[in-house]
Amino acid sequence: MSGLPRSSHALVTGGGRGIGRAIASALVRAGATVTVLGRNRATLDEAVAAGDAHFAGVADVADQAAVNAAIAEAASRQPIDILIANAGVAESAPFAKSDAALFRRMMDVDFMGVVHAVQAVLPGMKDRPYGRIVAIASTAGLRGYAYASAYSAAKHAVVGLTRSLALELASTRVTVNAVCPGFTDTDLLAGSIDNIMKKTGRSHEQAVADLSRHNPQGRIVAPAEVADTVLWLCGEGASAITGQAIAVAGGEV
């Protein structure tokens, strides 16, 4: 596997925890300068202090002006070669109880958050000799899940954006891909497990088993497994890989 070009600058949204932090850490170890972006300054500073990133910026990805300002600040230190659009939220509810506000929340963060980040980095990235955009979608963007219609719709939108933008940029040096994890061991998953326990009365072990059954390997995915896939897509050896939605889910899809 070819590595990253020397002196690459990667920006990871939602990089202070979970999958985003695992990706940021993997990029640091691969030699990139990494800026993490998120809403919680303390969490971001902790990632920097631990050596999982070099710089941090605060912005809500649903706020385009804030994203533009944070990314402009990051790019002023060093032009951005790699964007990992990872920030996201997940809420579940039966469709009949999913109001317009729920759909807007999912679309504003999980889809428009990707749009805002890509629009902010792309003008400068297209002029670079190398560029990588990786959106962290979900298996929910490749199939449906009951009680997750709003989340699934937003993640399907991310996959559609990835495929369309890849075609627009095919004549440039920028590739655009999506990575679609299955249920992954993060604090978001912990929230889902708590929700299952509260609504069904199941134990923690039963709730984990309920989610694990979606994965033919019978387990929860590790954040490092998602990070390894992202790292491969960011390498010079993946220059012919674009417009793809790659599942990291043990064969679920």
Side-chain angles (χ1 to χ4, degrees):
M1 178 178 69
S2 298
L4 306 180
R6 290 185 178 181
S7 304
S8 297
H9 183 195
L11 186 137
V12 183
T13 69
R17 60 184 187 174
I19 290 173
R21 183 159 173 178
I23 293 169
S25 181
L27 288 164
V28 167
R29 294 194 305 273
T33 298
V34 177
T35 299
V36 287
L37 195 68
R39 294 182 295 181
N40 188 314
R41 167 60 74 177
T43 301
L44 297 168
D45 287 345
E46 180 184 318
V48 172
D52 292 331
H54 298 94
F55 302 100
V58 177
D60 183 338
V61 294
D63 182 340
Q64 186 171 21
V67 171
N68 287 344
I71 289 180
E73 181 182 357
S76 71
R77 290 191 297 268
Q78 182 179 337
I80 296 169
D81 305 285
I82 299 167
L83 169 67
I84 312 300
N86 163 76
V89 294
E91 295 183 48
S92 61
F95 178 77
K97 295 183 179 179
S98 299
D99 59 13
L102 172 58
F103 274 88
R104 289 192 191 100
R105 285 195 299 275
M106 295 301 96
M107 293 300 292
D108 283 348
V109 177
D110 291 340
F111 175 61
M112 290 307 300
V114 176
V115 172
H116 294 157
V118 172
Q119 288 182 331
V121 303
L122 192 54
M125 188 181 287
K126 286 196 296 185
D127 294 331
R128 305 283 292 161
Y130 155 94
R132 296 287 186 268
I133 295 171
V134 181
I136 306 303
S138 167
T139 48
L142 300 173
R143 52 159 291 183
Y145 289 101
Y147 309 110
S149 55
Y151 177 74
S152 182
K155 292 300 188 178
H156 271 76
V158 171
V159 171
L161 172 68
T162 296
R163 290 170 172 161
S164 295
L165 186 58
L167 293 175
E168 287 193 32
L169 298 175
S171 62
T172 74
R173 295 183 179 90
V174 179
T175 65
V176 188
N177 292 286
V179 172
C180 301
F183 289 105
T184 306
D185 188 12
T186 66
D187 53 350
L188 276 179
L189 184 71
S192 297
I193 290 170
D194 287 342
N195 195 36
I196 292 171
M197 292 168 63
K198 289 175 183 176
K199 290 184 176 180
T200 67
R202 295 174 184 170
S203 68
H204 183 274
E205 292 73 18
Q206 289 170 327
V208 171
D210 187 54
L211 298 177
S212 297
R213 66 180 174 80
H214 292 283
N215 183 331
Q217 293 179 336
R219 65 183 182 89
I220 301 297
V221 175
E225 294 176 297
V226 183
D228 285 346
T229 305
V230 172
L231 193 60
W232 166 64
L233 288 171
C234 292
E236 292 184 288
S239 60
I241 311 300
T242 194
Q244 303 304 302
I246 300 173
V248 182
E252 180 184 348
V253 290

